[in-house]
Amino acid sequence: MYFITSNEGKFREVKELAANYDIEVEWLKMEYIEPQGSSLEEIAKLSAEMLTEKVDGGFVIEDSGLFVEALKGFPGPYSSYVFKTIGNEGILKLMKGVENRKAYFEAVVAYFDGKDVHVFTGTVSGEIAREMRGEGGFGYDPIFLYNGRTFAEMDTEEKNRVSHRRRAFEKFFMWLKEKD
Ligand code: ITT
């Protein structure tokens, strides 16, 4: 199955997750323009529909984001842009002196089977750390605390046990298996 993403970290995690279901995922490294939308679900769906025009056959994509409660859900659907601009330092700055550190990651998988687009969602709740910690993972992992450690302090296997990506892809893979 082709997984279209420009993000190597995502691909690495999904490859491992898929292996548990005996599914082989191939990386179609490609950057595509994300349409605007108010939710990740809407964006993932629209992106998949747009990509059906460009890619032959079935494929899967995933859109994800970090939602910080004290920032009213920011960066949410803008996570990619915010990461490229202000990054983790910027989020930590916005959160300086803020007591409510609650945040969650969401991942939305959109699968095109050659005919229709199917969507699967997963979330994981945690907190925004007070400083960056850890060398692993990617993106916001160094500032996302789960049970006292950041995602960047975990290896792929450990993050994959609890992550938003795991939860979304698990739903998708189970659905695929049941369908066969
Ligand atoms: P593609 O759209 O090409 O798949 P992207 O990196 O642009 O790659 P998203 O728009 O879905 O992917 O990602 C939004 C941002 O959230 C991006 O900056 C990621 O680095 C970050 N992000 C997504 N999943 C994450 C995770 O598991 N841990 C940390 N940061 C994550």
Side-chain angles (χ1 to χ4, degrees), residues 40-98:
L40 294 187
E41 245 180 70
E42 197 184 338
I43 296 169
K45 224 170 166 178
L46 288 170
S47 301
E49 281 162 6
M50 193 188 72
L51 282 166
T52 61
E53 314 270 314
K54 297 194 177 159
V55 181
D56 271 341
F59 60 83
V60 62
I61 58 168
E62 180 233 277
D63 200 39
S64 38
L66 174 70
F67 295 74
V68 182
E69 191 171 283
L71 304 178
K72 311 246 189 286
F74 182 84
Y78 311 108
S79 293
S80 183
Y81 180 72
V82 170
F83 186 75
K84 283 185 202 140
T85 52
I86 65 172
N88 285 326
E89 287 93 352
I91 298 287
L92 288 179
K93 220 179 219 175
L94 289 172
M95 291 297 286
K96 212 166 178 191
V98 177

Side-chain angles (χ1 to χ4, degrees):
M1 171 182 319
Y2 284 114
F3 180 31
I4 305 176
T5 179
S6 62
N7 185 321
E8 188 181 358
K10 273 191 193 178
F11 174 71
R12 200 173 44 232
E13 291 178 12
V14 171
K15 193 178 154 79
E16 269 196 39
L17 287 170
N20 298 330
Y21 291 83
D22 288 327
I23 294 170
E24 205 175 315
V25 178
E26 271 189 71
W27 187 9
L28 197 56
K29 189 174 178 188
M30 181 170 146
E31 200 149 358
Y32 54 89
I33 297 166
E34 275 180 13
Q36 291 281 338
S38 53
S39 70
L40 294 187
E41 245 180 70
E42 197 184 338
I43 296 169
K45 224 170 166 178
L46 288 170
S47 301
E49 281 162 6
M50 193 188 72
L51 282 166
T52 61
E53 314 270 314
K54 297 194 177 159
V55 181
D56 271 341
F59 60 83
V60 62
I61 58 168
E62 180 233 277
D63 200 39
S64 38
L66 174 70
F67 295 74
V68 182
E69 191 171 283
L71 304 178
K72 311 246 189 286
F74 182 84
Y78 311 108
S79 293
S80 183
Y81 180 72
V82 170
F83 186 75
K84 283 185 202 140
T85 52
I86 65 172
N88 285 326
E89 287 93 352
I91 298 287
L92 288 179
K93 220 179 219 175
L94 289 172
M95 291 297 286
K96 212 166 178 191
V98 177
E99 272 316 302
N100 175 11
R101 316 290 301 181
K102 281 189 205 150
Y104 68 91
F105 272 123
E106 181 175 356
V108 179
V109 171
Y111 169 60
F112 179 61
D113 59 11
K115 196 161 160 271
D116 301 304
V117 175
H118 306 267
V119 166
F120 306 85
T121 302
T123 63
V124 61
S125 296
E127 283 173 43
I128 300 299
R130 295 196 184 260
E131 73 280 303
M132 283 195 263
R133 269 178 16 209
E135 303 295 323
F138 65 95
Y140 298 105
D141 282 343
I143 61 165
F144 187 81
L145 277 174
Y146 181 85
N147 272 350
R149 281 185 313 140
T150 68
F151 269 179
E153 290 176 306
M154 303 178 182
D155 60 23
T156 304
E157 196 195 339
E158 218 179 340
K159 180 180 168 190
N160 268 349
R161 266 183 238 146
V162 296
S163 77
H164 50 313
R165 183 157 297 108
R166 175 346 177 349
R167 289 169 182 165
F169 272 94
E170 190 165 64
K171 282 186 200 166
F172 169 44
F173 293 145
M174 305 257 281
W175 175 86
L176 265 186
K177 291 275 164 199
E178 274 168 28
K179 205 163 65 77
D180 289 342

